[in-house]
């Protein structure tokens, strides 16, 4: 558990995170950020490659669960149901309250849980504070200038990641 903005691992895309990688690190539960991690902003249909990736993860014994700061929206429900994943909205990342709720709900401990997301200041900080394995991925799509700015501000912490896979 640490107040750190540095991800434990960095991947180009969520699809490059394999069951073997997680299982070899004792991870049985992967919490997933939604926007720009497993679906682009605004879409209601899962990208095909990520849907296939999720299926393979579950087939290999990794439990998947969406943890998003999105506030009550039908879009989250549609996406989660299409992905066949349960979810928590209003997770308030970088605070750990949403993560704690998810772990309690699923009966899992921080040591057997990872969180993957595209944002350092929310996803990675929350994962590190909660004592989870933290995984940063590149955002699926950067469309608006504010996201570009945010991505630029996060760059030093992405660069400091000790394990770029
Ligand atoms: Mg995101």
């Amino acid at each position: 558990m640490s107040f750190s903005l540095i991800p434990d691992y960095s991947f180009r895309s969520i699809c490059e995170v394999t069951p073997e990688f997680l299982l070899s690190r004792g991870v049985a539960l992967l919490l997933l950020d939604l926007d720009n991690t497993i679906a682009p902003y605004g879409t209601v249909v899962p990208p095909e490659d990520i849907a296939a990736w999720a299926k393979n993860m579950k087939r290999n014994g990794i439990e998947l669960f969406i943890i998003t700061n999105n506030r009550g929206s039908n879009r989250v429900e549609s996406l989660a149901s299409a992905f066949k994943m349960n979810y928590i909205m209003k997770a308030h990342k970088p605070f750990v309250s949403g993560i704690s709720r998810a772990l309690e709900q699923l009966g899992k401990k921080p040591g057997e849980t990872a969180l993957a997301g595209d944002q350092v200041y929310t996803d990675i900080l929350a994962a590190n504070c909660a004592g989870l394995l933290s995984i940063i991925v590149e955002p699926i799509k950067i469309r608006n200038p504010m996201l570009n700015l945010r991505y630029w501000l996060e760059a030093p912490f992405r660069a400091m990641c000790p394990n770029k896979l």
Side-chain angles (χ1 to χ4, degrees):
M1 195 175 311
S2 67
F3 189 85
S4 166
L5 291 164
I6 303 174
D8 292 319
Y9 290 92
S10 150
F11 287 85
R12 295 277 298 278
S13 147
I14 194 67
C15 293
E16 293 181 11
V17 180
T18 64
E20 295 73 29
F21 168 82
L22 294 175
L23 291 169
S24 68
R25 284 158 184 82
V27 171
L29 168 66
L30 177 59
L31 302 178
L32 291 163
D33 169 56
L34 180 68
D35 288 313
N36 258 345
T37 297
I38 59 170
Y41 276 106
T43 59
V44 289
V45 179
E48 262 176 45
D49 56 339
I50 299 180
W53 166 87
K55 225 174 181 178
N56 183 52
M57 276 287 176
K58 289 188 232 171
R59 200 182 302 131
N60 284 279
I62 303 289
E63 189 170 359
L64 302 175
F65 188 95
I66 296 169
I67 182 142
T68 173
N69 281 355
N70 257 291
R71 296 167 178 282
S73 87
N74 294 335
R75 174 174 164 264
V76 174
E77 278 180 43
S78 314
L79 272 168
S81 120
F83 272 121
K84 297 190 177 65
M85 293 181 203
N86 290 320
Y87 60 90
I88 279 185
M89 285 192 268
K90 299 183 212 158
H92 302 305
K93 295 170 288 184
F95 298 105
V96 300
S97 53
I99 293 176
S100 305
R101 256 194 294 152
L103 294 187
E104 199 171 306
Q105 196 173 314
L106 300 168
K108 290 283 193 298
K109 296 194 166 43
E112 54 184 344
T113 306
L115 187 152
D118 70 304
Q119 292 195 44
V120 166
Y121 298 112
T122 52
D123 302 314
I124 297 306
L125 183 55
N128 288 341
C129 286
L132 314 185
L133 190 83
S134 57
I135 299 171
I136 190 88
V137 298
E138 301 278 329
I140 294 176
K141 220 182 249 176
I142 298 182
R143 275 192 312 205
N144 76 53
M146 282 312 288
L147 282 188
N148 245 325
L149 172 65
R150 193 202 73 206
Y151 190 70
W152 180 78
L153 290 170
E154 291 179 347
F157 300 103
R158 290 175 182 270
M160 275 188 266
C161 174
N163 304 295
K164 297 187 185 70
L165 303 177

